């Protein structure tokens, strides 16, 4: 089997209701999908997380000519080849996001050609249902009303875990966390995410104020560049720490894991290096007894890739405790998540049911896709 073409799809959509987090305000969504065609009739889809323009150039102009003619089933060999070609200029960032998209598409093809769902090719899943947590509670003008509505909706959908945004300043954050805790009730697991808005001393101060509200994890409390800062926060709080969506490859994750800066490692499959590298990061994390729960904030393609990876990832410690088996289920407005596939993953009572079709198991709705290009 040979790769005959790589096509880049840049998707853009304006949001009906803009929302904000600690770093900026979203008025539109944008993502990059990669479609890989073969001479065997199989096609594969991947997604890159990050700014579309440089990613489109990286995939379309730099990497595509290198992979046309190669067998997409040689996933490890192709990963090494592409990383070796780019390591001098970009060990992290855009070039890795581009490799990630290609790698996901290669795995999609490999599993389609094998006639099995991707998670099975990766090693299989212990359960057919994957419990998720709802990511929401972003800041908006009428956040009080919005939070109550969101809480009611998530409970109705069967979520028993939710994640909210913080990082707007200590006092405001404490108020917001109280509001969400009150809205979701005492039994729902509540995580909070600062998107690296704080220095260690402020993150610790916030953590101490909200510790009595039973926080499941504190995500990106400090800069992703500050491993010592993570360790300082960890030493001073009982709340577990999560992070890693801004980190890349096993080489980037290794010091965070070895030094136990994280309790939950969150590689994004669409930027950390794809399925191939995600599995290596998960192996490393298992050595250090650290949970892996992928960051997933993209389209249906990236979300599904994360689901297959999560289902099949190596685990440590071995447990049946449900709170350790949670994957991100973004609930913010995103038409690329909800409208570009003809057979969305079945979601029921706070859980995804693993797709049983070959490959990623989703069919792209080309007409819907074209509407966003
Ligand atoms: Ca996050």
């Amino acid at each position: 089997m040979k790769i005959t073409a790589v096509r880049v799809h840049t998707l853009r959509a304006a949001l009906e209701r803009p929302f904000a987090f600690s770093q900026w305000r979203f008025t539109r969504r944008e993502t990059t999908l990669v479609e890989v065609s073969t001479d065997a009739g199989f096609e594969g889809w991947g997604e890159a997380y990050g700014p579309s323009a440089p990613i489109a150039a990286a995939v379309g102009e730099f990497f595509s000519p290198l992979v046309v003619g190669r067998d997409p089933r040689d996933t490890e060999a192709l990963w090494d080849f592409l990383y070796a070609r780019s390591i001098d200029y970009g060990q992290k960032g855009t070039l890795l996001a581009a490799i990630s998209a290609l790698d996901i598409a290669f795995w999609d093809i490999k599993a389609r050609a094998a006639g099995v769902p991707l998670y099975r090719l990766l090693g299989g899943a212990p359960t057919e249902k994957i419990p998720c947590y709802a990511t929401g509670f972003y800041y908006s003008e009428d956040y009080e009303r919005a939070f109550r509505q969101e809480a009611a909706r998530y409970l109705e959908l069967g979520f028993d875990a939710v994640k909210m945004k913080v990082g707007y300043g200590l006092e405001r954050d404490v108020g917001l966390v109280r509001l969400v805790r009150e809205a979701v009730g005492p039994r729902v697991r509540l995580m909070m995410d600062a998107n690296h808005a704080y220095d260690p001393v402020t993150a610790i101060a916030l953590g101490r104020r909200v510790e009595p509200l039973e926080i499941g994890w504190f995500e990106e409390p400090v800069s992703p560049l500050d491993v010592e800062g993570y360790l300082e926060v960890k030493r001073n709080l009982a709340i577990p720490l999560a992070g890693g969506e801004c980190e890349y490859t096993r080489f980037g994750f290794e010091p965070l894991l070895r030094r136990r800066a994280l309790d939950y490692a969150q590689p994004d499959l669409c930027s950390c290096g794809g399925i191939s590298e995600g599995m290596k990061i998960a192996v490393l994390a298992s050595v250090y007894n650290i949970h892996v729960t992928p960051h997933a904030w993209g389209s249906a393609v990236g979300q599904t890739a994360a689901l297959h990876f999560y289902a099949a990832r190596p685990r440590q410690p071995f447990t049946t405790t449900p709170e350790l088996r949670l994957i991100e289920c973004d609930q913010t407005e995103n038409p690329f998540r909800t409208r570009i596939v003809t057979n969305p993953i079945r979601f029921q009572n706070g859980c995804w049911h693993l797709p049983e079709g070959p490959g990623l198991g989703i069919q792209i709705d080309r007409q819907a896709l074209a509407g966003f290009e």
Side-chain angles (χ1 to χ4, degrees), residues 163 165 193 195 219-220 245 266 295:
K163 188 169 82 186
K165 292 294 179 186
D193 181 2
N195 292 92
E219 181 170 324
E220 292 203 292
E245 68 183 75
Q266 299 173 300
H295 174 258

Side-chain angles (χ1 to χ4, degrees), residues 71-283:
D71 190 323
R73 295 170 299 182
D74 295 342
T75 45
E76 294 295 328
L78 282 166
W79 199 96
D80 287 351
F81 171 65
L82 296 179
Y83 194 52
R85 285 299 180 98
S86 54
I87 192 170
D88 287 19
Y89 328 106
Q91 297 96 348
K92 301 184 179 190
T94 297
L95 291 176
L96 250 299
I99 292 177
S100 303
L102 288 165
D103 181 80
I104 293 167
F106 298 159
W107 276 102
D108 186 17
I109 292 169
K110 188 168 168 168
R112 280 175 201 260
V116 295
L118 175 56
Y119 78 85
R120 190 155 287 138
L121 193 63
L122 293 173
T127 55
E128 60 139 26
K129 280 194 301 187
I130 306 288
C132 350
Y133 69 85
T135 293
F137 301 107
Y138 281 70
Y139 193 73
S140 62
E141 300 291 307
D142 61 343
Y143 69 88
E144 289 196 38
R145 194 178 58 88
F147 281 8
R148 291 209 163 80
Q149 281 178 351
E150 281 188 64
R153 186 160 67 87
Y154 301 152
L155 293 177
E156 198 179 302
L157 287 169
F159 285 109
D160 54 14
V162 299
K163 188 169 82 186
M164 66 177 297
K165 292 294 179 186
V166 292
Y168 313 107
L170 186 58
E171 290 307 322
R172 182 182 272 184
D173 281 353
V174 173
L176 294 176
V177 176
R178 283 196 184 125
L179 198 66
V180 174
R181 173 48 86 200
E182 190 189 299
V184 298
R187 278 186 292 278
V188 168
R189 192 166 176 228
L190 172 61
M191 290 83 85
M192 65 180 194
D193 181 2
N195 292 92
H196 49 80
Y198 289 128
D199 54 29
V201 71
T202 315
I204 292 164
L206 172 61
R208 287 192 173 151
R209 293 279 298 275
V210 300
E211 259 175 359
L213 296 168
E214 298 288 330
I215 303 301
W217 73 55
F218 189 173
E219 181 170 324
E220 292 203 292
V222 298
S223 165
L225 303 171
D226 188 5
V227 184
E228 295 298 331
Y230 267 90
L231 292 167
E232 191 180 331
V233 176
K234 228 168 115 66
R235 274 194 299 273
N236 284 282
L237 291 182
I239 303 172
L241 299 189
E245 68 183 75
C246 304
E247 194 49 82
Y248 300 80
T249 76
R250 75 200 94 147
F251 308 106
F253 271 88
E254 196 277 339
L256 289 168
L257 300 170
R258 174 170 38 84
R259 303 193 65 196
R260 299 180 189 280
L262 304 172
D263 300 288
Y264 293 86
Q266 299 173 300
D268 190 313
L269 276 288
C270 299
S271 59
C272 77
I275 299 284
S276 300
E277 201 60 11
M279 289 301 270
K280 295 185 179 71
I281 293 164
V283 169

